[in-house]
Amino acid sequence: TTLQKKITTFMLKQYFIFLSKKLGIFMQKKIALFIFTLFLFSFLIFSKEEINQQELFKNSEPIQEFMKKHPRGSLKVVTGAMCSGKSGYLIEQEKRWKRAKKRVATFKPIIDNRKLFLKKDIDPTQVLSSRTETSTRCFSVSSVQDLKNKIKQENPTHIIIDEVHFFTPEKEQFINFVLDLVKQGKQVIVSGLDLSFRNESFGPMPELLSHADSVKKLTANCAVCHEDTFCISQRLVNGKPARYDDPLIVVGAEELYEPRCRNCHECPKE
């Protein structure tokens, strides 16, 4: 009958509710036991690792002492066209390092004999100077071997090298030496033209840029359109753009070079 069906349905529902509760309690106990076991297992593992670490540090130098004896080296490359402020940037970086009591040594190729606002009685090969009229004493070097000898003699931890495009005749030796300095834990900053007056990669700069921890790319005001933008060093011969087949390296200042943007730069091949 209908009443019997209702009673049967009601009893079945109650039975399933009872089973669900029992099963739920059973599963809760199982889950709780699993979580407790997992927690206990994790605790034992981490405790063992902590003991191992304590034993490790008992028999080793403190981290700060280790880092002092094994410093991590780095290479920063500063680049841009003539008149972009590269040398001024290096001079300011040297001041910051010296204020921090670092052992700093600054170098540049002896071929760079530009005066740049220096007094007449000052030897320009012994001074790193900028167009903002800042300057600092530096070591002039005639070759990569000369640079190696002076760095060995001075034993600096922080090294600045300006005008590295002048190492083009020895670019492989120079690149390898700079990378060796970084491996030794030295903090190295190099600066130079990334492009020649021909608008082509210049000497060791492309590979140094690829190995650099960081790069500082400086802009300049184009001498023709006056925009502050990416520039190329425009070489001038009697006031006119130098030809492509002119010598690659010619030392000079404003009388021979000026910065020009891509649109204003000229280098005739014919």
Side-chain angles (χ1 to χ4, degrees):
T1 63
T2 304
L3 181 60
Q4 288 177 332
K5 286 182 179 180
K6 288 182 178 180
I7 292 171
T8 304
T9 303
F10 175 77
M11 293 298 292
L12 286 172
K13 284 182 179 179
Q14 293 300 316
Y15 179 69
F16 280 119
I17 290 171
F18 173 77
L19 283 178
S20 298
K21 287 181 179 179
K22 289 291 185 182
L23 184 60
I25 293 169
F26 175 75
M27 290 302 294
Q28 286 175 5
K29 289 181 178 179
K30 287 289 186 182
I31 292 170
L33 181 61
F34 174 75
I35 292 173
F36 175 75
T37 305
L38 184 63
F39 172 77
L40 183 62
F41 182 71
S42 302
F43 176 77
L44 291 173
I45 288 177
F46 290 134
S47 296
K48 186 176 180 181
E49 287 185 357
E50 186 175 351
I51 291 169
N52 289 338
Q53 288 179 0
Q54 289 175 355
E55 290 297 322
L56 177 65
F57 284 110
K58 272 183 189 176
N59 301 320
S60 65
E61 301 172 288
I63 293 176
Q64 290 183 349
E65 290 299 320
F66 178 83
M67 291 305 295
K68 284 181 182 179
K69 293 181 180 179
H70 306 85
R72 184 183 298 277
S74 68
L75 172 63
K76 183 172 187 175
V77 178
V78 182
T79 190
M82 299 280 290
C83 306
S84 61
K86 299 184 297 298
S87 296
Y89 183 91
L90 297 185
I91 292 167
E92 289 303 312
Q93 182 60 63
E94 185 198 62
K95 288 179 181 177
R96 286 195 290 271
W97 277 347
K98 285 185 175 179
R99 283 196 296 267
K101 308 300 182 185
K102 306 299 183 183
R103 294 200 312 275
V104 188
T106 301
F107 303 88
K108 74 172 186 177
I110 197 169
I111 191 175
D112 182 14
N113 58 2
R114 296 169 297 166
K115 296 289 275 187
L116 293 181
F117 304 105
L118 295 175
K119 294 179 181 179
K120 291 182 179 180
D121 59 340
I122 296 178
D123 182 0
T125 64
Q126 303 300 314
V127 178
L128 175 61
S129 58
S130 75
R131 290 177 175 82
T132 57
E133 300 188 38
T134 57
S135 63
T136 186
R137 301 294 297 182
C138 71
F139 297 95
S140 61
V141 293
S142 58
S143 64
V144 173
Q145 187 59 51
D146 190 19
L147 178 64
K148 288 180 180 180
N149 294 340
K150 286 181 178 173
I151 288 178
K152 183 178 180 180
Q153 179 181 347
E154 297 298 319
N155 191 28
T157 57
H158 293 61
I159 298 166
I160 294 172
I161 311 173
D162 196 17
E163 308 292 350
V164 301
H165 48 272
F166 286 134
F167 287 101
T168 295
E170 298 180 287
K171 68 176 184 179
E172 294 301 327
Q173 298 96 307
F174 180 75
I175 291 166
N176 291 335
F177 179 56
V178 169
L179 297 182
D180 283 343
L181 290 173
V182 175
K183 289 178 182 177
Q184 293 169 26
K186 308 290 188 182
Q187 306 295 312
V188 183
I189 297 183
V190 300
S191 171
L193 302 174
D194 52 348
L195 296 172
S196 68
F197 79 98
R198 298 170 182 167
N199 195 20
E200 296 175 344
S201 298
F202 203 173
M205 288 298 287
E207 193 160 349
L208 291 173
L209 287 164
S210 66
H211 285 287
D213 294 76
S214 61
V215 173
K216 182 74 174 177
K217 179 81 170 181
L218 299 173
T219 59
N221 290 98
C222 175
V224 178
C225 68
H226 309 298
E227 286 293 321
D228 184 359
T229 183
F230 166 84
C231 284
I232 305 154
S233 299
Q234 175 73 65
R235 183 186 294 170
L236 302 173
V237 178
N238 297 324
K240 296 181 180 180
R243 298 174 59 82
Y244 181 87
D245 56 2
D246 282 355
L248 180 62
I249 296 177
V250 176
V251 180
E254 283 81 358
E255 76 282 0
L256 288 180
Y257 293 95
E258 64 184 18
R260 290 194 186 183
C261 68
R262 292 185 181 93
N263 294 336
C264 299
H265 180 262
E266 299 178 68
C267 187
K269 292 186 178 181
E270 298 179 356

